[in-house]
Amino acid sequence: MPSLGPVVGPPGQKGPPGAKGPPPPDLRPIPLGQPQGPRRIDDFRGERREYQENGRTVFREPDRLIIRDPSGQAFVRHNEVNRFRYGARDVQFGRMGNDYRTVVIRPDGSQIITITTPDGRLLRRIRRGPDGREIIIIDNSFRPAPRPGMALGVGGFFVTLPPPMIRIPQDRYIVEAEYAPPEVIYETLMAPPVERIDRRYTLDEIRYSPTVRDRMPRIDLNTINFATGSWEVAPDQVEKLRVIADGINRAVSANPREVFLIEGHTDAVGSDIDNLSLSDRRAEAVAQILTEQFQVPPENLTSQGYGEQYLKVPTQGPEIQNRRVTARRITPLLTGQSNNVPPPPPGVRPR
């Protein structure tokens, strides 16, 4: 998998080759106690810096990178360790060869260890208990063998698979949180893939390959409504996330290696770069609330924004249903285990 190159430099780097303007910040976590900044995308435009690198256009914000390749594809990346700072006793930074190592130390002595490449890509996330025992939650360091359907693309390898054959009721494949009882929420979070998984996928492949993610059912958090251009969750909507948090906490209690992807989306109003940044911040805001308000372990969550790429309602105008966040379990994709795949209905031959 090709590196993105030095788009996020090590501490002290004075900027990418040929870049103009002030020295770009890296994607290390924000120090404890430092304000998180504005909550509307309008406030970030003045801080965004644009430059060209290796044929790509890079947009750098104080805490995010948006990269557009020559084909026009774009993706956003941020350092998720910022979410782990909540309630931490200390945060330590170090180097492991060419990579970066961040250790978040909690009051009970447990640690969350995150290892990233110089360009901010996650390699490993590990939980180390007070007794020194370690659990690898995410291993994004392996390289899948090339095979048909793999191509160099957004974020590394982009995987193209046939659309999955949905053998379960549509309303159990895409669950609307507003109408689903808690048990359905939990069953959806723990549902197996809708098709057998033939191998393990990297987190990068899952993030940037919709046909891989579509193997897992999802929950649309339509109880959370965002104002145009904002990622702030209104106080009166926070409690509506409790049922999702309860389901995730129940799953993690049974298996501490479970990983859930929180996805952010926007409507089609505004520029694609604004919308990528905005959607990523919406996903992170929901993940942060799940931890700070409902004690969901932050290391069992990962978040990603997709901008206006996957509209729920196909319109170029303002649409509140498109300004949404979704959640799905991705553990089977990360591990390559597809236990209990639903059987095909009568008369349908499995592929």
Side-chain angles (χ1 to χ4, degrees):
M1 184 179 298
S3 169
L4 288 174
V7 292
V8 182
Q13 179 176 318
K14 299 303 182 183
K20 297 180 180 181
D26 55 55
L27 293 187
R28 291 184 306 166
I30 301 170
L32 289 170
Q34 182 169 324
Q36 295 295 300
R39 306 288 290 182
R40 291 186 62 85
I41 200 65
D42 293 346
D43 302 317
F44 272 97
R45 290 196 189 96
E47 301 183 55
R48 185 181 294 158
R49 298 294 179 264
E50 176 182 346
Y51 58 88
Q52 300 294 316
E53 183 181 82
N54 300 326
R56 301 165 306 181
T57 303
V58 180
F59 302 86
R60 184 184 297 273
E61 297 178 354
D63 55 356
R64 269 165 180 76
L65 290 178
I66 300 172
I67 301 171
R68 178 187 284 148
D69 67 24
S71 71
Q73 292 180 310
F75 69 98
V76 58
R77 173 179 291 165
H78 73 275
N79 192 323
E80 293 193 280
V81 179
N82 285 325
R83 286 193 291 106
F84 303 169
R85 301 176 310 112
Y86 180 75
R89 189 177 75 198
D90 192 16
V91 180
Q92 300 176 354
F93 308 100
R95 294 289 295 267
M96 292 185 62
N98 293 326
D99 300 322
Y100 292 96
R101 183 174 183 266
T102 304
V103 181
V104 175
I105 304 174
R106 292 172 171 163
D108 65 355
S110 62
Q111 302 177 3
I112 303 302
I113 302 166
T114 301
I115 301 170
T116 59
T117 63
D119 65 352
R121 188 175 68 85
L122 176 68
L123 290 177
R124 246 181 234 98
R125 183 181 298 170
I126 302 166
R127 182 194 294 121
R128 177 183 292 163
D131 58 0
R133 298 178 60 185
E134 293 186 349
I135 295 176
I136 298 177
I137 298 175
I138 296 177
D139 182 3
N140 197 39
S141 63
F142 74 97
R143 298 293 184 270
R147 62 175 62 195
M150 296 178 67
L152 296 182
V154 175
F157 279 117
F158 177 81
V159 182
T160 301
L161 298 175
M165 181 180 296
I166 310 303
R167 303 180 176 98
I168 59 178
Q170 185 68 21
D171 62 357
R172 297 302 294 270
Y173 175 60
I174 300 176
V175 173
E176 305 284 350
E178 183 176 5
Y179 309 109
E183 197 58 32
V184 169
I185 294 289
Y186 177 71
E187 290 174 359
T188 304
L189 288 171
M190 295 306 296
V194 295
E195 285 194 346
R196 184 166 298 279
I197 306 300
D198 62 351
R199 66 173 176 91
R200 61 186 291 211
Y201 292 91
T202 67
L203 181 60
D204 289 333
E205 290 176 314
I206 297 168
R207 286 184 187 277
Y208 306 124
S209 305
T211 54
V212 173
R213 295 193 304 275
D214 286 347
R215 265 57 192 166
M216 300 303 300
R218 76 173 197 245
I219 299 173
D220 282 358
L221 307 184
N222 54 351
T223 53
I224 304 300
N225 298 318
F226 295 96
T228 298
S230 173
W231 59 93
E232 184 171 6
V233 178
D236 63 348
Q237 296 184 20
V238 168
E239 184 63 25
K240 297 177 181 179
L241 291 171
R242 180 180 295 277
V243 65
I244 300 295
D246 289 347
I248 293 176
N249 280 331
R250 181 177 169 187
V252 172
S253 295
N255 177 12
R257 291 181 172 87
E258 294 285 5
V259 180
F260 296 86
L261 174 63
I262 309 298
E263 306 169 21
H265 303 271
T266 69
D267 58 26
V269 177
S271 75
D272 61 335
I273 298 303
D274 279 356
N275 285 338
L276 273 172
S277 178
L278 177 60
S279 65
D280 203 52
R281 296 175 190 281
R282 284 175 175 167
E284 185 182 35
V286 168
Q288 189 169 349
I289 289 172
L290 291 173
T291 292
E292 296 183 5
Q293 298 294 325
F294 305 110
Q295 292 74 56
V296 173
E299 63 272 21
N300 294 97
L301 302 175
T302 189
S303 62
Q304 182 67 41
Y306 296 102
E308 60 191 72
Q309 298 176 67
Y310 309 110
L311 299 175
K312 187 170 185 177
V313 178
T315 176
Q316 296 300 301
E319 174 52 61
I320 195 168
Q321 292 187 65
N322 288 331
R323 302 194 294 268
R324 71 195 192 280
V325 168
T326 69
R328 75 178 95 210
R329 185 171 68 113
I330 60 171
T331 317
L333 302 175
L334 290 167
T335 62
Q337 298 177 356
S338 52
N339 297 344
N340 302 318
V341 173
V348 176
R349 297 180 58 186
R351 298 191 306 175

